[in-house]
PDB file of all heavy atoms in Angstrom:
ATOM      1  N   ALA D 122       1.663  22.593   5.092  1.00  0.00           N
ATOM      2  CA  ALA D 122       2.040  23.905   5.635  1.00  0.00           C
ATOM      3  C   ALA D 122       2.242  24.943   4.537  1.00  0.00           C
ATOM      4  O   ALA D 122       2.297  26.139   4.821  1.00  0.00           O
ATOM      5  CB  ALA D 122       3.310  23.779   6.475  1.00  0.00           C
ATOM      6  N   GLN D 123       2.361  24.485   3.289  1.00  0.00           N
ATOM      7  CA  GLN D 123       2.464  25.400   2.156  1.00  0.00           C
ATOM      8  C   GLN D 123       1.907  24.701   0.926  1.00  0.00           C
ATOM      9  O   GLN D 123       1.819  23.472   0.879  1.00  0.00           O
ATOM     10  CB  GLN D 123       3.917  25.821   1.914  1.00  0.00           C
ATOM     11  CG  GLN D 123       4.810  24.695   1.467  1.00  0.00           C
ATOM     12  CD  GLN D 123       6.250  25.131   1.212  1.00  0.00           C
ATOM     13  OE1 GLN D 123       6.632  26.264   1.516  1.00  0.00           O
ATOM     14  NE2 GLN D 123       7.045  24.248   0.653  1.00  0.00           N
ATOM     15  N   GLY D 124       1.520  25.495  -0.056  1.00  0.00           N
ATOM     16  CA  GLY D 124       0.938  24.938  -1.266  1.00  0.00           C
ATOM     17  C   GLY D 124       1.987  24.353  -2.202  1.00  0.00           C
ATOM     18  O   GLY D 124       3.181  24.399  -1.920  1.00  0.00           O
ATOM     19  N   ILE D 125       1.515  23.804  -3.308  1.00  0.00           N
ATOM     20  CA  ILE D 125       2.416  23.264  -4.318  1.00  0.00           C
ATOM     21  C   ILE D 125       2.133  23.964  -5.648  1.00  0.00           C
ATOM     22  O   ILE D 125       1.027  24.455  -5.881  1.00  0.00           O
ATOM     23  CB  ILE D 125       2.273  21.734  -4.455  1.00  0.00           C
ATOM     24  CG1 ILE D 125       0.893  21.354  -4.998  1.00  0.00           C
ATOM     25  CG2 ILE D 125       2.499  21.055  -3.112  1.00  0.00           C
ATOM     26  CD1 ILE D 125       0.701  19.861  -5.183  1.00  0.00           C
ATOM     27  N   ASP D 126       3.150  24.032  -6.500  1.00  0.00           N
ATOM     28  CA  ASP D 126       3.017  24.730  -7.777  1.00  0.00           C
ATOM     29  C   ASP D 126       2.946  23.777  -8.964  1.00  0.00           C
ATOM     30  O   ASP D 126       2.867  24.218 -10.113  1.00  0.00           O
ATOM     31  CB  ASP D 126       4.191  25.694  -7.962  1.00  0.00           C
ATOM     32  CG  ASP D 126       4.204  26.785  -6.909  1.00  0.00           C
ATOM     33  OD1 ASP D 126       3.123  27.337  -6.621  1.00  0.00           O
ATOM     34  OD2 ASP D 126       5.279  27.076  -6.348  1.00  0.00           O
ATOM     35  N   GLY D 127       2.985  22.496  -8.676  1.00  0.00           N
ATOM     36  CA  GLY D 127       2.867  21.506  -9.738  1.00  0.00           C
ATOM     37  C   GLY D 127       2.912  20.112  -9.159  1.00  0.00           C
ATOM     38  O   GLY D 127       3.503  19.887  -8.108  1.00  0.00           O
ATOM     39  N   GLY D 128       2.237  19.167  -9.836  1.00  0.00           N
ATOM     40  CA  GLY D 128       2.229  17.793  -9.374  1.00  0.00           C
ATOM     41  C   GLY D 128       1.177  17.531  -8.312  1.00  0.00           C
ATOM     42  O   GLY D 128       0.296  18.368  -8.048  1.00  0.00           O
ATOM     43  N   THR D 129       1.268  16.369  -7.678  1.00  0.00           N
ATOM     44  CA  THR D 129       0.297  15.965  -6.660  1.00  0.00           C
ATOM     45  C   THR D 129       1.007  15.304  -5.485  1.00  0.00           C
ATOM     46  O   THR D 129       2.085  14.727  -5.625  1.00  0.00           O
ATOM     47  CB  THR D 129      -0.719  14.949  -7.229  1.00  0.00           C
ATOM     48  OG1 THR D 129      -0.022  13.773  -7.686  1.00  0.00           O
ATOM     49  CG2 THR D 129      -1.514  15.554  -8.377  1.00  0.00           C
ATOM     50  N   ILE D 130       0.377  15.395  -4.316  1.00  0.00           N
ATOM     51  CA  ILE D 130       0.844  14.718  -3.107  1.00  0.00           C
ATOM     52  C   ILE D 130      -0.365  14.068  -2.457  1.00  0.00           C
ATOM     53  O   ILE D 130      -1.394  14.726  -2.231  1.00  0.00           O
ATOM     54  CB  ILE D 130       1.489  15.702  -2.114  1.00  0.00           C
ATOM     55  CG1 ILE D 130       2.732  16.364  -2.730  1.00  0.00           C
ATOM     56  CG2 ILE D 130       1.859  14.992  -0.813  1.00  0.00           C
ATOM     57  CD1 ILE D 130       3.352  17.444  -1.854  1.00  0.00           C
ATOM     58  N   ALA D 131      -0.257  12.782  -2.147  1.00  0.00           N
ATOM     59  CA  ALA D 131      -1.355  12.062  -1.502  1.00  0.00           C
ATOM     60  C   ALA D 131      -0.823  11.241  -0.329  1.00  0.00           C
ATOM     61  O   ALA D 131       0.253  10.643  -0.412  1.00  0.00           O
ATOM     62  CB  ALA D 131      -2.062  11.147  -2.495  1.00  0.00           C
ATOM     63  N   VAL D 132      -1.585  11.231   0.759  1.00  0.00           N
ATOM     64  CA  VAL D 132      -1.265  10.435   1.942  1.00  0.00           C
ATOM     65  C   VAL D 132      -2.377   9.411   2.121  1.00  0.00           C
ATOM     66  O   VAL D 132      -3.543   9.777   2.298  1.00  0.00           O
ATOM     67  CB  VAL D 132      -1.137  11.309   3.205  1.00  0.00           C
ATOM     68  CG1 VAL D 132      -0.792  10.451   4.420  1.00  0.00           C
ATOM     69  CG2 VAL D 132      -0.084  12.391   3.001  1.00  0.00           C
ATOM     70  N   CYS D 133      -2.022   8.135   2.013  1.00  0.00           N
ATOM     71  CA  CYS D 133      -3.003   7.046   2.095  1.00  0.00           C
ATOM     72  C   CYS D 133      -4.155   7.270   1.116  1.00  0.00           C
ATOM     73  O   CYS D 133      -5.323   7.035   1.435  1.00  0.00           O
ATOM     74  CB  CYS D 133      -3.523   6.887   3.519  1.00  0.00           C
ATOM     75  SG  CYS D 133      -2.273   6.391   4.716  1.00  0.00           S
ATOM     76  N   GLY D 134      -3.813   7.771  -0.073  1.00  0.00           N
ATOM     77  CA  GLY D 134      -4.810   7.978  -1.117  1.00  0.00           C
ATOM     78  C   GLY D 134      -5.560   9.292  -1.041  1.00  0.00           C
ATOM     79  O   GLY D 134      -6.366   9.592  -1.922  1.00  0.00           O
ATOM     80  N   HIS D 135      -5.303  10.094  -0.004  1.00  0.00           N
ATOM     81  CA  HIS D 135      -6.002  11.382   0.159  1.00  0.00           C
ATOM     82  C   HIS D 135      -5.109  12.526  -0.308  1.00  0.00           C
ATOM     83  O   HIS D 135      -3.989  12.698   0.193  1.00  0.00           O
ATOM     84  CB  HIS D 135      -6.393  11.597   1.622  1.00  0.00           C
ATOM     85  CG  HIS D 135      -7.326  10.570   2.167  1.00  0.00           C
ATOM     86  ND1 HIS D 135      -8.648  10.485   1.778  1.00  0.00           N
ATOM     87  CD2 HIS D 135      -7.126   9.565   3.062  1.00  0.00           C
ATOM     88  CE1 HIS D 135      -9.231   9.473   2.423  1.00  0.00           C
ATOM     89  NE2 HIS D 135      -8.326   8.907   3.201  1.00  0.00           N
ATOM     90  N   SER D 136      -5.593  13.326  -1.238  1.00  0.00           N
ATOM     91  CA  SER D 136      -4.833  14.461  -1.752  1.00  0.00           C
ATOM     92  C   SER D 136      -4.663  15.518  -0.673  1.00  0.00           C
ATOM     93  O   SER D 136      -5.631  15.904  -0.005  1.00  0.00           O
ATOM     94  CB  SER D 136      -5.557  15.075  -2.953  1.00  0.00           C
ATOM     95  OG  SER D 136      -5.012  16.349  -3.263  1.00  0.00           O
ATOM     96  N   ILE D 137      -3.425  15.997  -0.513  1.00  0.00           N
ATOM     97  CA  ILE D 137      -3.178  17.029   0.487  1.00  0.00           C
ATOM     98  C   ILE D 137      -3.814  18.351   0.071  1.00  0.00           C
ATOM     99  O   ILE D 137      -4.037  19.234   0.908  1.00  0.00           O
ATOM    100  CB  ILE D 137      -1.663  17.201   0.739  1.00  0.00           C
ATOM    101  CG1 ILE D 137      -1.398  17.951   2.050  1.00  0.00           C
ATOM    102  CG2 ILE D 137      -1.005  17.902  -0.427  1.00  0.00           C
ATOM    103  CD1 ILE D 137      -1.791  17.215   3.282  1.00  0.00           C
ATOM    104  N   GLU D 138      -4.155  18.486  -1.206  1.00  0.00           N
ATOM    105  CA  GLU D 138      -4.781  19.718  -1.687  1.00  0.00           C
ATOM    106  C   GLU D 138      -6.303  19.666  -1.624  1.00  0.00           C
ATOM    107  O   GLU D 138      -6.942  20.621  -1.179  1.00  0.00           O
ATOM    108  CB  GLU D 138      -4.342  20.000  -3.120  1.00  0.00           C
ATOM    109  CG  GLU D 138      -2.911  20.468  -3.247  1.00  0.00           C
ATOM    110  CD  GLU D 138      -2.612  20.986  -4.649  1.00  0.00           C
ATOM    111  OE1 GLU D 138      -2.630  20.182  -5.598  1.00  0.00           O
ATOM    112  OE2 GLU D 138      -2.384  22.205  -4.782  1.00  0.00           O
ATOM    113  N   THR D 139      -6.888  18.564  -2.074  1.00  0.00           N
ATOM    114  CA  THR D 139      -8.348  18.503  -2.144  1.00  0.00           C
ATOM    115  C   THR D 139      -8.986  17.817  -0.943  1.00  0.00           C
ATOM    116  O   THR D 139     -10.176  17.987  -0.702  1.00  0.00           O
ATOM    117  CB  THR D 139      -8.793  17.788  -3.429  1.00  0.00           C
ATOM    118  OG1 THR D 139      -8.302  16.445  -3.421  1.00  0.00           O
ATOM    119  CG2 THR D 139      -8.272  18.513  -4.660  1.00  0.00           C
TER     120      THR D 139
END
Side-chain angles (χ1 to χ4, degrees):
Q123 66 179 8
I125 66 179
D126 297 316
T129 60
I130 298 175
V132 180
C133 296
H135 299 289
S136 166
I137 197 67
E138 287 191 294
T139 62

